Amino acid sequence: VRSAAEMAAITESDLGFVPTMGAFHEGHLSLMREARKIHDCLCVSLFVNPLQFGKSEDLDKYPRNEERDFAMAGEVGVDILFAPAANEIYPRESTIVHVPEITDLWEGSLRPGHFDGVATVVLKLFNLVKPRTAYFGWKDLQQCLVIRRMVEDLNVPVSLSFLPTVREADGLAMSSRNVYLSPEDRARAPKLRQTLIALAKALSVEDRSVASELEVARKTLVGQGFRLDYLELVSLNDIRSTLDTKNAALIVAARLGATRLIDNLRLGADVI
Ligand code: AMP
């Protein structure tokens, strides 16, 4: 489906929805397979949302491969692939959805406007697709919290399902941007996950200082050649830094070359 009007005209009572920006990998496919098991009808959107990219970000370079995506969606049994053009979604300057507080930190502060773009497009897609349940990956942990908050605050009639991160055999979280890693950086990248696991183990030992363990882990990553944007222990309620390991996650963003990697580990919840 290409047109917004055509998508809006489809009314399926039990529709599962997976919003994506395409360049599918196993992470995307796992969301689709899970939704496929549950719903009569499965819709996947493929839309590289210009509103969530900053001026200096990689909108033009973002990997696109529609034909391959179409074929992969077909194999998973997607019923509706919604792949609109940008002017279908934004025919004029759009009203913007701004989720407060949890967008102030981390990805929100490093990528100004990013979550406004995400919240706006996700609400528009929800209104066009009208899903019963929408599926998102925990890999983008802050994004999950932003969408959950938007849905609660605006009483959006959709239920949300957040699913675990799919990884390469060496632990690197799958991402459309991984293809841009040089061979040297690709070999280094799994250290991100390994550092989170080591840190989570250290924090599970009583009487360890959270602040000093975080500092050790930050130094490890910098020593491995990562340029670190942040590595923090945050509360899953409000994504603020915390020293309390209950209902908390380690979140990290770091760059290797021009590629920015993010990952996270929920203490107590993720298998490590
Ligand atoms: P994207 O196309 O990058 O916007 O991602 C579309 C959806 O797939 C989002 O809900 C992401 O959180 C999710 N996703 C991306 N990478 C992974 C992964 N490695 N494992 C699970 N879900 C993922």
Side-chain angles (χ1 to χ4, degrees):
V1 174
R2 294 283 181 186
S3 97
E6 204 185 321
M7 188 66 238
I10 297 172
T11 49
E12 290 281 346
S13 59
D14 180 27
L15 192 148
F17 178 43
V18 180
T20 82
M21 300 205 300
F24 294 158
H25 50 65
E26 271 305 313
H28 298 116
L29 299 183
S30 74
L31 300 180
M32 295 179 209
R33 288 198 192 98
E34 186 58 28
R36 176 69 289 172
K37 280 193 250 165
I38 295 168
H39 300 279
D40 296 344
C41 183
L42 170 58
C43 175
V44 172
S45 64
L46 196 173
F47 181 61
V48 182
N49 175 33
L51 216 58
Q52 72 188 66
F53 286 80
K55 282 207 176 65
S56 60
E57 291 182 8
D58 58 349
L59 175 61
D60 296 334
K61 291 199 210 86
Y62 196 82
R64 288 173 172 82
N65 197 337
E66 246 191 35
E67 262 179 44
R68 178 173 170 273
D69 289 346
F70 275 41
M72 289 166 89
E75 279 166 31
V76 182
V78 172
D79 298 297
I80 304 167
L81 193 60
F82 180 39
N87 61 7
E88 272 286 328
I89 298 298
Y90 302 116
R92 60 185 185 193
E93 188 180 350
S94 179
T95 297
I96 298 297
V97 180
H98 176 71
V99 175
E101 296 169 344
I102 47 176
T103 57
D104 292 345
L105 296 165
W106 322 124
E107 293 303 293
S109 71
L110 287 159
R111 305 180 66 187
H114 171 67
F115 286 125
D116 287 358
V118 170
T120 301
V121 81
V122 169
L123 185 61
K124 284 172 70 74
L125 291 169
F126 283 174
N127 287 335
L128 290 168
V129 174
K130 305 169 291 299
R132 175 171 287 178
T133 308
Y135 295 80
F136 295 88
W138 265 125
K139 178 188 166 249
D140 299 281
L141 184 148
Q142 195 172 6
Q143 172 171 282
C144 291
L145 301 188
V146 167
I147 290 163
R148 185 172 76 188
R149 172 82 186 250
M150 174 186 77
V151 163
E152 286 175 14
D153 285 355
L154 300 182
N155 310 98
V156 183
V158 63
S159 67
L160 300 173
S161 182
F162 302 126
L163 298 180
T165 302
V166 177
R167 298 175 180 283
E168 303 286 356
D170 59 14
L172 175 64
M174 290 198 184
S175 162
S176 305
R177 290 182 171 107
N178 289 351
V179 294
Y180 295 127
L181 289 166
S182 70
E184 299 77 45
D185 287 340
R186 176 63 190 82
R188 226 176 260 173
K191 194 73 194 165
L192 200 61
R193 163 81 169 163
Q194 289 159 14
T195 305
L196 289 186
I197 292 175
L199 178 54
K201 286 195 175 134
L203 295 180
S204 69
V205 178
E206 261 179 66
D207 296 335
R208 291 286 183 97
S209 149
V210 172
S212 57
E213 294 298 339
L214 279 169
E215 214 32 60
V216 170
R218 289 186 190 113
K219 289 213 177 88
T220 306
L221 287 176
V222 171
Q224 293 280 329
F226 288 86
R227 278 171 299 136
L228 198 60
D229 282 344
Y230 56 80
L231 168 59
E232 292 287 338
L233 179 68
V234 299
S235 153
L236 284 170
N237 293 323
D238 58 10
I239 208 145
R240 296 199 179 279
S241 287
T242 178
L243 298 176
D244 183 358
T245 54
K246 283 193 200 70
N247 195 33
L250 297 166
I251 59 170
V252 66
R255 283 163 293 146
L256 283 174
T259 310
R260 195 163 177 276
L261 303 173
I262 64 169
D263 205 344
N264 64 77
L265 196 158
R266 283 172 300 152
L267 298 183
D270 283 326
V271 181
I272 56 172

